Amino acid sequence: MIRNTRKAALGFIFITILIDVIGFGIIIPVIPKLITELTGESISKASVYGGWLLFTYSIFQFLCSPIIGNLSDHYGRRPVLLFSLFGVGIDYIALVFAPSIFWLFIARAFAGIAGASISTAGAYIADISTPEKRAQNFGIIGVAFGLGFIIGPVIGGVLGHYGSRLPFIAAATLTFLNLLYGYFILPESLANENKRKFDIKRANPFGAIKQIKKYPLLLGLLSAFMLLNIAHHSVQSNWTYFTMERFKWNEALVGYSLGVVGILVAIVQGGLTRVINPKIGQLKSVYLGLILYILGFILFAFANQSWMMFAFLIPYCLGGISMPAMQSIMANKVPKNAQGELQGIFASATSATSIIGPPLMTGVFAFFTKNTTAFYFPGAAFVLGAVFTIIALMLVIRTFKLHYSKAN
């Protein structure tokens, strides 16, 4: 009976994340077009605006995610998740009517305050998972991301041909449908006996980091996690701008390429992770995944034909076997009543890297693609991403060597 309940709950949270990611994915192909319409700038300069928009979203999420995470430990996952979906829906509506680039920044700030759906979903999964199943169940987030990026960007790329605002209308519609789904279907996952009082000292990014200092293994892995997330922004923040600049892709082709990313991520997270992680172990999964990420970054940097970007997605997406393993190792080291706090720390860490990553990576891209550059190299950000990942790999090796055997 308990097993069936857990499966049903996983199904509920999977659908919730999937719809959320589809809504997010819809807007990605059209963001450069909207920025150029509002500013009149080139793709190279639009990438800088895009980086600072992500910065704005991330700095507010960095400050607010620990609050949201701690509130979910006190009130439960369900109400926090519903609040988050409502806030994201309002953000999309604001983007539909934004008359200037200034209003894009206002909307992104509001979305950052409310945007805790994925971290709350992580806490939800931790609540209903046994320790030995956590890595596999965390892979559900990756599957939802994968399927969401198969569907969302393709829809966004097609709708973008009919107007730069239409994808935002579609995203808002899906988000509010998701809100209704969650309100009527999604059950609460946090048992009353596992709830704890809200503590403002722990409900800020710096207080949360103090809590995690109690676990040296977590601190080391979190640092590597942050470096890896900065590296990923060479792809996440630059993909649309890079492919439009280097290969002259349009919104539809960008959407199709992100659909391929979604297929590969779904295969890795939904299938390979569940096979590879138990077979080779969590440590080796982390090592292998990071090495594959490094290979993917280098191949992207030196791609000189469109088809190569599709082919090189294979090693890059295979690197995704590392993230559920790393997340599971960390989740297994904290008590049940602190899982929301841990997921809030993950969200804050991700947001902190998104404060640094997008302006850094889009800035590097803009520098090496502007008309006055001395050395034209659109792939420079991918090389920087590889460097950050190499450092993350070295840190993981050191952390596991010093602390993993002691922690188990």
Side-chain angles (χ1 to χ4, degrees), residues 72-348:
S72 79
D73 282 338
H74 180 67
Y75 292 107
R77 318 303 182 198
R78 185 176 178 274
V80 171
L81 188 58
L82 296 179
F83 166 78
S84 174
L85 292 173
F86 177 77
V88 172
I90 295 297
D91 166 59
Y92 290 143
I93 291 174
L95 290 171
V96 171
F97 298 103
S100 67
I101 193 73
F102 171 78
W103 284 102
L104 292 189
F105 281 95
I106 296 297
R108 290 283 79 192
F110 184 76
I113 293 170
S117 59
I118 303 303
S119 63
T120 307
Y124 192 108
I125 290 171
D127 290 338
I128 63 174
S129 301
T130 58
E132 61 272 13
K133 290 289 185 181
R134 276 200 178 122
Q136 295 179 33
N137 290 343
F138 276 129
I140 277 185
I141 296 178
V143 176
F145 264 94
L147 292 176
F149 273 100
I150 294 170
I151 302 166
V154 174
I155 294 173
V158 173
L159 292 178
H161 278 299
Y162 300 97
S164 60
R165 309 298 178 113
L166 190 56
F168 298 100
I169 296 174
T173 302
L174 278 175
T175 302
F176 284 116
L177 286 174
N178 197 9
L179 176 63
L180 290 173
Y181 171 85
Y183 182 81
F184 289 108
I185 302 296
L186 193 67
E188 179 55 61
S189 64
L190 186 63
N192 288 330
E193 62 268 21
N194 290 327
K195 292 180 179 179
R196 64 175 176 82
K197 290 184 178 181
F198 179 81
D199 183 357
I200 191 63
K201 293 181 180 178
R202 297 170 69 168
N204 67 80
F206 308 105
I209 293 299
K210 287 182 180 179
Q211 292 296 318
I212 208 170
K213 280 184 177 180
K214 296 184 294 186
Y215 310 97
L217 175 69
L218 269 63
L219 190 60
L221 290 184
L222 185 66
S223 300
F225 177 83
M226 293 177 71
L227 287 169
L228 186 58
N229 271 284
I230 293 174
H232 281 319
H233 278 287
S234 65
V235 177
Q236 294 171 5
S237 300
N238 269 340
W239 184 266
T240 305
Y241 303 103
F242 173 82
T243 52
M244 287 182 170
E245 171 70 23
R246 183 72 176 85
F247 304 113
K248 310 305 177 187
W249 288 7
N250 58 22
E251 292 88 356
L253 190 51
V254 170
Y256 297 145
S257 71
L258 292 173
V260 173
V261 172
I263 292 172
L264 292 172
V265 170
I267 291 171
V268 172
Q269 301 288 350
L272 294 181
T273 295
R274 291 173 175 266
V275 175
I276 294 174
N277 281 7
K279 189 168 185 178
I280 69 174
Q282 293 179 345
L283 270 68
K284 290 182 180 178
S285 295
V286 173
Y287 294 148
L288 178 60
L290 293 179
I291 291 169
L292 288 168
Y293 275 139
I294 294 166
L295 176 62
F297 286 131
I298 295 299
L299 291 173
F300 286 149
F302 295 97
N304 55 24
Q305 295 185 48
S306 283
W307 66 265
M308 292 182 177
M309 296 303 290
F310 287 91
F312 297 160
L313 281 170
I314 295 174
Y316 176 76
C317 291
L318 282 171
I321 64 172
S322 63
M323 298 303 279
M326 193 180 299
Q327 196 171 4
S328 177
I329 290 170
M330 289 190 277
N332 286 339
K333 303 306 171 190
V334 300
K336 289 184 178 180
N337 66 1
Q339 290 294 333
E341 179 180 43
L342 178 62
Q343 299 304 322
I345 290 170
F346 284 151
S348 278

